[in-house]
Structure formats: C-alpha cells, structure tokens
Amino acid sequence: MEAFDTTRLRLRQISNVDQALYCHLYTDDALMQHIATPLSAEAAQRSFVSACAQQSQDRQRWIIQERTSGHDIGLVALFATGEVAEIGVMLVADAHGRGLATEAMAAIVDRAFADGSIRLVWIRQQVSNVPVVGMMRRLGFARLPMSDPEAAEVRWNLGRERWLDRQATVV
C-alpha cells in the first residue's frame, strides 16, 4: 500500500508517526458528533495502536495530506469483506468545505475498484451530517431506503460498473 497522489492530496499509509492526528480526530467532539461517541484520550491511543497493527489488504487506512502545505488533514479508510468494502473519511475542521473529503473519497473508490475484486463500496452517514449528502451525490452513490424513518443513520452504496461508467464520461 504505497502512497499515492490526487490533484491536491497525498494519501499515505498510516504509521506510528500519525498518533497525534489520529487521536485528535477520534476525540474531537464536533467531528465525532456525526460519526460515533468520541473516544477518551486513552481509548484513542489504544485504537491507534490497533489500527496500525491491523493494516492489511482488507483493512486499509491512509493519512490525507495537503500537497501544497504538507499538512496532515485527515484519515480515509477502506474495510473490505469479500467483494464489498465500507469506506469513510474524517478531516480536521480547517479542511472542511473545500472538497477535500470528496477528492479523498474518489481516490479511495478508484483504488477499491482498480483490481476488480471489489464490486460494491458503501458508507454510513449520520442523518445529522448533512454535508455528506452532497458529497455522496457528487460521487454517484445511491442512498439506500431507510427501514426506520426515525433512524439516525443513512447508508449509501456505489457499484463498480456505475463508478466506471461515470468515470468514463468525466474523461
């Protein structure tokens, strides 16, 4: 899992030097309100050690770095089970609203579908996280019907063929 670049970002495999960023993301109350209960500092440190140890073909995490500034701004992940993978992205507050999450997600979707072993990617989104709706639509994800209209979580998915068709029309 070597590093790779997009137009504005460099994505590199998470490593031991990334503990401060990882712990900041997972303990940030404002960010985590849209994901899960924030971790305590100790729990975030344990989670980081586990995340680094679990890096594999099926469990991939990359640090997102802005190429122009060199600043680490977030984390993107892909967790595969067979032909299906869950993906997600977390950015520091200063990086919100600039399309960087969309760019990172598109890069991970490309990567997921590149070798043909993944046929479907999906994400889960808290209903309260309204900006994610636009990102999912821009990327071509389809919102799955909610079985419970009161549910706090929405799921989106995107098939390989749809992604490849969309990419062919963009070029």
Side-chain angles (χ1 to χ4, degrees):
M1 292 182 285
E2 63 187 54
F4 62 100
D5 294 337
T6 67
T7 303
R8 299 179 293 166
L9 305 172
R10 177 164 195 73
L11 284 80
R12 61 175 175 74
Q13 182 177 351
I14 194 171
S15 71
N16 291 335
V17 301
D18 300 312
Q19 184 171 356
L21 174 64
Y22 183 97
C23 290
H24 169 75
L25 292 168
Y26 279 94
T27 59
D28 183 306
D29 290 335
L31 174 63
M32 293 303 290
Q33 76 177 338
H34 299 298
I35 300 169
T37 303
L39 298 179
S40 68
E42 297 78 22
Q45 289 171 0
R46 286 190 305 273
S47 176
F48 174 75
V49 170
S50 177
C52 288
Q54 292 176 359
Q55 282 290 97
S56 69
Q57 190 63 30
D58 294 336
R59 298 188 68 79
Q60 302 174 28
R61 291 176 183 87
W62 293 271
I63 295 299
I64 305 166
Q65 182 181 73
E66 259 188 302
R67 289 177 58 195
T68 54
S69 70
H71 292 119
D72 294 338
I73 60 166
L75 175 71
V76 63
L78 178 144
F79 302 138
T81 305
E83 297 179 331
V84 178
E86 180 180 9
I87 58 176
V89 64
M90 300 168 72
L91 295 179
V92 296
D94 292 348
H96 292 186
R98 297 189 284 148
L100 299 172
T102 303
E103 189 171 326
M105 289 287 276
I108 294 307
V109 171
D110 271 343
R111 203 144 167 112
F113 290 145
D115 72 0
S117 63
I118 301 293
R119 65 171 180 76
L120 180 81
V121 294
W122 67 279
I123 73 140
R124 62 181 98 205
Q125 168 226 336
Q126 293 293 316
V127 172
S128 63
N129 196 355
V130 176
V132 170
V133 173
M135 179 174 66
M136 292 296 93
R137 289 187 176 139
R138 280 189 297 281
L139 291 170
F141 279 73
R143 184 176 171 163
L144 300 177
M146 295 173 66
S147 57
D148 176 4
E150 300 299 316
E153 184 178 273
V154 176
R155 292 189 182 215
W156 299 78
N157 71 19
L158 176 63
R160 184 175 189 275
E161 295 306 316
R162 178 178 168 102
W163 179 255
L164 295 176
D165 288 348
R166 287 176 57 88
Q167 296 309 98
T169 61
V170 172
V171 177

